[in-house]
Amino acid sequence: MQATNIKNPAYFHKVVDCQWACPAHTPVPEYIRLIAQGQYTDAYMVNWVSNVFPGILGRTCDRPCEPACRRGRVEENNGDDPEPVAICRLKRVAADLKGDVQARMPKIAKKNGKRIACVGAGPSSLTVARDLVPLGYEVTVFDGEQRAGGFIRSQIPRFRLPESVIDEETGYILDLGVQFKGGERISSMNALLATGFDAIYVGSGAPRGRDLDLPGRQAAAEQIHIGIDWLASVSFGHITSIGKKVIVLGGGNTAMDCCRSARRLGSSDVKVIVRSGFEEMKASPWEKEDALHEGIPIINFHVPKSFEVQDGKLIGMYFTVVAAVYNERGERKLVPNGEPDIFFPCDTVLLAVGQENAFPWIEPDSGIQFNHHGLPELDKISFQSTNPQVFFGGDAAFGPKNIITAVAHGHEVAVSIDRFLHHESPTVRPPPYTNLMSQKMGIHEWSYHNDVSVDLRFPVPWAEAAKALANIRVEVELGFDAATAFKEANRCLNCDVETVFTRETCIECDACVDICPMDCITFTENGDEHDLRLRLKAPATNLTQALYVSANLKSGRVMVKDEDVCLHCGLCAERCPTGAWDMQKFLLETTPAGPDCRDKTLNLPVELV
């Protein structure tokens, strides 16, 4: 193998598994250390720069960072079910315990004369506005609802996300000088284009819930509701009660929100019925666990067959029981298992079987082309449509995802719009800011806490069940207190503090090999990657994580380190008699819209600009 180029920003970025997995590339270990030090406001602002909505995401994020967390891979002997650091819940700690952050909001530059329209006031549009307003752009955000937040406000129940948190965090952005036009739904793209905006961003989400065309659907229409529309009606107080026997169809997070909301609105019998198996459900594991914790059964491998109506009223549904059958290519097919169809009585059905994009307000002659899925044709880097003036992001771009992905899209589109309005290619991406700094404070001392905690993940306290289930606006999760947050934060392995090897000072004494608690380090003859992975002191079987390979040492051997299960404990650096190992903190920050993303600053060759 060739020697690893640690100057490539992507190398150590990928070693910081949580940040690599986060669509917005939030520097997770950086803010977790700040929480452990009690610097909650600083931790909040580190989050705010990257993910924009720390209080909202600290309660509702889909947490792509947590499955990636190294803690779950190295803790095999510390419990039957190793769990990652509670990254999402620690984010909420920073939001709950922070001080006043108004003085830390960005200063606003002089107006530059450019006007931008954002359609929709959801997380992606607000991120675009947050990034561009401080640069002097005049940003107007249009939304059909009176208050900003988009589907954050309309679809996420208040028992998961209090309205006060939405108001606070959308307010930080609107207070920067955004012109918010609440209650103004855009009905024509051509009309919007004619108003003279220099660029238009479409962040209108995926507002249409899928229906089920089954026998009895029309006859029972009054008792069958599209899940996302029903949640919005509940959120805005238009619906305050529901039938006693409720069936929720669907296996995603919307279905989990529907069933838990129905439970709080008075239903004594709520069931979630899903076509797939429990493990295949799209809902996040913790969302399913929360529903089960509240006594809501999830019935799998049942395909809806019909809505049964009697005297004009819905009385139940029939389902075909199926089994998953796999062919030789591993492809799954659901086939009836031979059992008779099953009838479940109900008086209300909530359909949460998926969401779709809808752009009836964009005219065919607007210059914006759509594919056969009804999604806009976009450049995958810039998010620019076939009308160069119009950009898309969030669920409106590539279909329904989640809040943190919408935020990431917003950051990218802000860069694209900024470059576009400076007559530069919006497809050119500026490189990130990176920094490597030694953490050495003495012979055996580091500036970070490098003892590895053996604590298991701490549970988040819940509100009393009787109180929480009696009121749909009572928040269920109470969040960590400061003491628990400190202990949970210390479970972080500081994966951004990297082991950096200097071959010139290595004397190949193998002291680092002997002391490494995870058998990560091997000195051996070079070879191809497959061969090297099998010859290490502990075979490196996770192909998604890189090997750190040195150039040839004096003996002709190479140092090979498996980055996959390294604890970042620093014992190799402490033990090394020559200082060939050092612990250096790697910090990566994506380059935002503004002067640093421009061609002159990037010093790009002419052919790229």
Side-chain angles (χ1 to χ4, degrees):
M1 289 185 67
Q2 295 295 316
T4 301
N5 177 18
I6 64 172
K7 293 182 179 179
N8 180 352
Y11 178 74
F12 281 139
H13 185 196
K14 194 172 182 179
V15 175
V16 191
D17 302 86
C18 48
Q19 185 177 21
W20 178 263
C22 175
H25 302 311
T26 307
V28 175
E30 180 79 358
Y31 79 74
I32 288 180
R33 275 191 300 272
L34 290 169
I35 290 170
Q37 296 163 12
Q39 299 181 51
Y40 306 115
T41 307
D42 291 336
Y44 183 87
M45 293 310 299
V46 168
N47 272 280
W48 193 82
V49 168
S50 296
N51 61 50
V52 185
F53 305 102
I56 292 169
L57 285 165
R59 292 164 167 85
T60 64
C61 190
D62 274 1
R63 315 181 200 176
C65 53
E66 291 191 14
C69 176
R70 188 182 308 270
R71 184 90 200 191
R73 302 201 297 273
V74 304
E75 204 178 69
E76 294 177 0
N77 297 322
N78 200 14
D80 295 331
D81 188 19
E83 290 192 276
V85 175
I87 298 169
C88 180
R89 295 319 182 230
L90 287 172
K91 191 190 314 293
R92 172 179 171 173
V93 169
D96 287 352
L97 301 182
K98 71 182 184 305
D100 185 6
V101 297
Q102 286 288 0
R104 300 198 184 200
M105 292 295 128
K107 306 302 179 187
I108 309 303
K110 182 181 177 181
K111 296 296 182 185
N112 61 20
K114 302 293 185 180
R115 298 170 60 240
I116 297 160
C118 292
V119 181
S124 67
S125 287
L126 293 177
T127 301
V128 170
R130 200 288 304 267
D131 285 2
L132 294 181
V133 167
L135 302 177
Y137 291 99
E138 183 180 308
V139 179
T140 303
V141 176
F142 298 91
D143 197 273
E145 301 298 336
Q146 294 293 336
R147 298 163 76 184
F151 280 14
I152 291 174
R153 190 180 294 276
S154 65
Q155 283 193 19
I156 301 175
R158 299 290 81 86
F159 60 82
R160 289 181 58 206
L161 178 60
E163 201 153 28
S164 59
V165 178
I166 305 173
D167 291 340
E168 177 189 0
E169 297 201 321
T170 58
Y172 289 145
I173 297 170
L174 299 182
D175 289 346
L176 294 175
V178 176
Q179 296 188 36
F180 177 57
K181 302 289 186 179
E184 293 191 22
R185 190 178 301 277
I186 299 299
S187 59
S188 167
M189 174 59 81
N190 282 341
L192 186 62
L193 286 165
T195 57
F197 285 101
D198 297 285
I200 293 172
Y201 175 69
V202 180
S204 54
R208 180 183 294 164
R210 290 199 180 109
D211 207 336
L212 277 182
D213 185 15
L214 296 175
R217 172 66 178 93
Q218 297 307 315
E222 291 186 5
Q223 295 163 274
I224 301 171
H225 308 280
I226 302 298
I228 59 172
D229 298 336
W230 182 82
L231 284 171
S233 295
V234 172
S235 178
F236 294 124
H238 304 315
I239 290 178
T240 57
S241 63
I242 197 170
K244 294 299 181 186
K245 294 177 183 279
V246 178
I247 289 177
V248 178
L249 299 179
N253 287 339
T254 299
M256 300 301 102
D257 286 340
C258 284
C259 71
R260 297 178 69 196
S261 296
R263 180 87 166 77
R264 286 162 170 78
L265 291 183
S267 177
S268 56
D269 182 355
V270 184
K271 297 181 180 69
V272 177
I273 304 181
V274 191
R275 297 167 55 96
S276 67
F278 184 83
E279 297 300 327
E280 299 168 291
M281 291 171 62
K282 292 183 178 179
S284 304
W286 47 90
E287 301 288 355
K288 294 186 286 186
E289 291 168 9
D290 290 349
L292 293 173
H293 178 77
E294 293 180 353
I296 300 170
I298 298 176
I299 301 168
N300 303 103
F301 291 121
H302 282 60
V303 175
K305 186 175 182 180
S306 64
F307 301 99
E308 295 300 306
V309 180
Q310 190 176 87
D311 299 327
K313 295 289 184 180
L314 178 71
I315 61 169
M317 289 190 68
Y318 274 104
F319 292 83
T320 300
V321 184
V322 297
V325 176
Y326 296 86
N327 62 22
E328 63 278 1
R329 295 188 298 275
E331 299 169 337
R332 190 200 70 167
K333 186 177 181 181
L334 297 175
V335 298
N337 69 355
E339 295 181 22
D341 290 341
I342 291 182
F343 178 79
F344 288 105
C346 67
D347 52 30
T348 307
V349 173
L350 303 177
L351 300 176
V353 292
Q355 292 174 230
E356 298 174 331
N357 294 78
F359 302 102
W361 55 279
I362 298 181
E363 296 88 351
D365 62 348
S366 63
I368 301 169
Q369 297 177 10
F370 293 86
N371 62 25
H372 63 284
H373 296 296
L375 295 171
E377 294 281 1
L378 303 177
D379 181 90
K380 296 296 192 296
I381 296 174
S382 68
F383 296 80
Q384 189 176 40
S385 73
T386 49
N387 182 329
Q389 195 177 349
V390 181
F391 299 76
F392 287 71
D395 292 353
F398 305 117
K401 293 291 184 184
N402 49 47
I403 299 171
I404 190 62
T405 298
V407 169
H409 287 184
H411 287 311
E412 292 294 335
V413 173
V415 170
S416 297
I417 290 176
D418 188 41
R419 290 181 56 81
F420 171 70
L421 294 181
H422 282 81
H423 309 291
E424 298 175 352
S425 171
T427 60
V428 174
R429 295 291 98 176
Y433 303 123
T434 58
N435 190 19
L436 267 175
M437 182 178 294
S438 176
Q439 300 302 289
K440 203 170 187 67
M441 301 291 286
I443 297 176
H444 299 299
E445 293 179 307
W446 309 104
S447 64
Y448 74 105
H449 181 74
N450 68 323
D451 288 339
V452 177
S453 167
V454 296
D455 287 336
L456 299 178
R457 179 167 164 145
F458 291 88
V460 178
W462 277 37
E464 182 183 346
K467 181 180 178 182
L469 293 176
N471 188 334
I472 199 167
R473 294 188 175 271
V474 171
E475 188 172 12
V476 175
E477 287 194 5
L478 302 180
F480 289 139
D481 58 21
T484 308
F486 172 79
K487 290 185 286 187
E488 182 64 35
N490 277 311
R491 295 183 68 240
C492 177
L493 296 175
N494 297 290
C495 294
D496 60 339
V497 181
E498 307 294 350
T499 52
V500 176
F501 181 73
T502 305
R503 60 180 284 273
E504 289 78 11
T505 53
C506 178
I507 58 174
E508 302 184 58
C509 65
D510 282 3
C512 55
V513 177
D514 295 338
I515 202 169
C516 177
M518 300 300 291
D519 293 332
C520 293
I521 303 169
T522 305
F523 288 83
T524 185
E525 302 299 321
N526 207 338
D528 62 39
E529 182 174 354
H530 176 74
D531 172 52
L532 269 183
R533 283 183 177 274
L534 296 179
R535 284 196 285 112
L536 301 184
K537 190 174 182 183
T541 56
N542 182 4
L543 302 182
T544 64
Q545 191 61 273
L547 296 178
Y548 185 178
V549 182
S550 74
N552 284 349
L553 301 167
K554 294 172 184 176
S555 66
R557 299 186 302 169
V558 291
M559 183 286 301
V560 185
K561 176 174 174 282
D562 179 13
E563 299 280 19
D564 184 44
V565 292
C566 174
L567 296 177
H568 297 251
C569 61
L571 290 177
C572 54
E574 290 185 13
R575 182 66 181 84
C576 181
T578 65
W581 287 102
D582 190 17
M583 305 303 296
Q584 298 186 13
K585 186 173 76 170
F586 172 78
L587 183 62
L588 178 142
E589 296 177 353
T590 55
T591 304
D596 288 350
C597 80
R598 311 270 171 72
D599 292 341
K600 184 176 181 180
T601 305
L602 298 177
N603 199 24
L604 293 172
V606 174
E607 62 267 19
L608 290 181
V609 300

